[in-house]
Amino acid sequence: MSSAGAELIVGSDGRARPRWAATDPLLRDYYDTEWGLPVTDERGVFERLSLEAFQAGLSWRTILARRPGFRAAFADFEVDAVAAFDESDVARLLADERIIRQRRKIEATVRNARAAAAMRDTGGLAAFVWSFRPSTWDAPLTLHDIPTQTAESRALADGLRAQGFSFVGPTTMFALMEAIGIVDTHLPGAHRPVAAGDAHGS
């Protein structure tokens, strides 16, 4: 590998990636195939919102490594299925070693599914989240230009809390906005995947 400036690393395939995605195969594949591509379907947005909430206090690699387990444990993040979980499901999840066994986050995911289901009459979760897309966005030139939160992510966090969501702080919501393509924080010269269509659900 070689350096492409201080903030990008060129891999053996000749592609420049940010340091966080340059060496670990799991993170590199996530960056190459998913991160920053538009996600506009309910299940896709709910899954990523849920995983970002579980990531709080942990590394993103830890979450990615357990993603298949999360999908199996949470019914592939189908909103109606998760919304129907009861206390027996919470107990089951607390015993499931494939996921992060944190009661507050598990219970929040169930509540958030119920809140997401309730939003369908007013356009749905995905449309609501995307409505906070900034009207203007200055592409970052360096890592120092990338904020940890913005006015829009703070407004999104407040809006989701008002709808009954939890574990949706402004920093977590900015990470979600990056991950699903609402804001573009690719650095100049960095490899970026090409979306196969207008949406990238899973």
Side-chain angles (χ1 to χ4, degrees), residues 143-163:
L143 286 175
H144 295 295
D145 297 328
I146 302 174
T148 58
Q149 57 178 264
T150 62
E152 290 83 6
S153 76
R154 290 188 286 273
L156 173 57
D158 289 342
L160 287 172
R161 289 188 189 113
Q163 298 283 343

Side-chain angles (χ1 to χ4, degrees), residues 27-147:
L27 291 170
R28 185 172 62 240
D29 181 67
Y30 171 69
Y31 176 84
D32 284 354
T33 63
E34 182 173 354
W35 185 78
L37 291 182
V39 178
T40 57
D41 64 293
E42 179 187 72
R43 192 208 67 80
V45 172
F46 177 64
E47 177 187 7
R48 287 155 180 82
L49 185 150
S50 300
L51 293 179
E52 292 288 353
F54 272 100
Q55 188 269 335
L58 302 168
S59 72
W60 184 240
R61 195 203 182 285
T62 296
I63 300 301
L64 278 184
R66 294 174 183 247
R67 192 180 196 180
F70 273 110
R71 284 177 165 174
F74 282 97
D76 203 30
F77 290 99
E78 292 293 344
V79 166
D80 289 332
V82 179
F85 282 10
D86 57 20
E87 188 55 41
S88 67
D89 291 295
V90 172
R92 168 181 60 82
L93 292 166
L94 285 169
D96 194 330
E97 295 181 353
R98 298 173 299 176
I99 68 169
I100 305 300
R101 295 178 292 173
Q102 214 270 24
R103 176 179 284 275
R104 289 182 61 230
K105 292 179 180 180
I106 290 170
E107 290 177 339
T109 303
V110 177
R111 286 195 304 273
N112 290 351
R114 294 169 183 165
M119 295 176 73
R120 290 174 181 155
D121 290 340
T122 56
L125 173 64
F128 183 82
V129 170
W130 274 85
S131 73
F132 291 86
R133 187 177 191 176
S135 57
T136 60
W137 177 255
D138 294 326
L141 298 178
T142 70
L143 286 175
H144 295 295
D145 297 328
I146 302 174

